[in-house]
Amino acid sequence: EAGVAQSPRYKIIEKRQSVAFWCNPISGHATLYWYQQILGQGPKLLIQFQNNGVVDDSQLPKDRFSAERLKGVDSTLKIQPAKLEDSAVYLCASSLGGVSEKLFFGSGTQLSVL
Amino acid sequence: DQQVKQNSPSLSVQEGRISILNCDYTNSMFDYFLWYKKYPAEGPTFLISISSIKDKNEDGRFTVFLNKSAKHLSLHIVPSQPGDSAVYFCAASDDLSEGSARQLTFGSGTQLTVLP
């Protein structure tokens, strides 16, 4: 079974530039999550999709972050404009949905904002 | 406000000995707890979980203990192996998602190093 795919693996940008991350979840997984992991901290939920609808985006900084899930499968997370404090690993995860608690994570995108 | 806390950033253990990783939580609505393991440059992978109706769950060398009254859980690894060296995250979820898939709240992680 293929895992959660993310790209790119690494990205270096300057502040005020824009950046986009892509995620392809495990086939058949209805729920998709984007997490932000700052160095030395645990992953923090940014947004949760159920199929192509948003379940929770309460912790997404909507003035600069946006996310969409195309046709209930792939998802993109965008930051525009980036700030220094956005430097982090951005993790995509998926699950079967419903009451399944087990999340499967991708390898993440390491973002450095200079 | 950290609802899930892992107060030990790091732990070193000799190969063959027991590793004990601890986690505390503050949200009494949490009813499901998980441990994830993370190697460098990889995403977290699920290790073991426990429901709040249990106080112990065992899977091979890994055992998770839950003390609801103390809002504390621990992960025991016996015997520890060098390949267990990784960051371990404690995570918790509640039943407030109204039918949608649950969200996980993570602790800050503990770096376990198993020395040969």
Side-chain angles (χ1 to χ4, degrees):
Chain A
E1 174 183 85
V4 177
Q6 288 190 249
S7 67
R9 288 299 307 271
Y10 305 94
K11 191 73 176 179
I12 301 174
I13 62 173
E14 295 188 349
K15 60 182 179 182
R16 291 188 291 273
Q17 286 188 321
S18 61
V19 64
F21 313 127
W22 174 82
C23 172
N24 181 241
I26 293 173
S27 178
H29 280 196
T31 307
L32 184 147
Y33 311 79
W34 283 101
Y35 280 84
Q36 178 193 59
Q37 186 183 6
I38 294 172
L39 188 64
Q41 300 180 18
K44 185 188 85 170
L45 180 69
L46 292 175
I47 188 167
Q48 176 185 350
F49 292 94
Q50 182 82 9
N51 297 308
N52 60 354
V54 175
V55 173
D56 185 354
D57 63 356
S58 59
Q59 299 189 77
L60 187 73
K62 298 181 189 63
D63 57 335
R64 297 184 301 106
F65 286 64
S66 64
E68 61 178 1
R69 189 174 184 194
L70 307 172
K71 299 180 181 178
V73 181
D74 293 4
S75 178
T76 56
L77 176 69
K78 297 179 181 177
I79 308 175
Q80 181 180 10
K83 292 186 175 182
L84 297 177
E85 59 261 35
D86 298 332
S87 295
V89 176
Y90 290 85
L91 294 162
C92 179
S94 69
S95 74
L96 284 170
V99 295
S100 170
E101 292 84 8
K102 190 185 298 184
L103 273 60
F104 296 83
F105 283 86
S107 298
T109 296
Q110 171 78 61
L111 174 68
S112 297
V113 182
L114 307 177
Chain B
D1 176 33
Q2 273 192 291
Q3 298 186 70
V4 179
K5 299 180 183 178
Q6 294 177 257
N7 293 319
S8 297
S10 63
L11 174 68
S12 291
V13 171
Q14 208 69 35
E15 180 178 6
R17 306 294 291 267
I18 184 172
S19 295
I20 300 176
L21 295 93
N22 293 303
C23 177
D24 297 292
Y25 62 96
T26 57
N27 188 343
S28 58
M29 299 303 294
F30 287 147
D31 65 349
Y32 202 83
F33 304 88
L34 306 89
W35 285 92
Y36 278 78
K37 180 168 71 174
K38 185 181 183 305
Y39 293 117
E42 295 184 12
T45 55
F46 170 78
L47 187 59
I48 192 170
S49 62
I50 187 167
S51 165
S52 61
I53 63 174
K54 295 184 175 180
D55 55 17
K56 176 183 174 182
N57 189 28
E58 191 172 355
D59 183 2
R61 297 186 296 115
F62 303 90
T63 303
V64 57
F65 295 92
L66 175 63
N67 183 334
K68 284 196 299 180
S69 61
K71 294 192 177 66
H72 176 84
L73 64 156
S74 61
L75 174 68
H76 293 210
I77 306 174
V78 183
S80 301
Q81 299 173 354
D84 296 329
S85 297
V87 176
Y88 289 78
F89 290 102
C90 172
S93 73
D94 56 40
D95 190 20
L96 299 178
S97 50
E98 299 180 352
S100 297
R102 294 183 177 211
Q103 299 174 6
L104 296 183
T105 301
F106 285 85
S108 55
T110 296
Q111 170 71 58
L112 174 65
T113 302
V114 180
L115 305 169

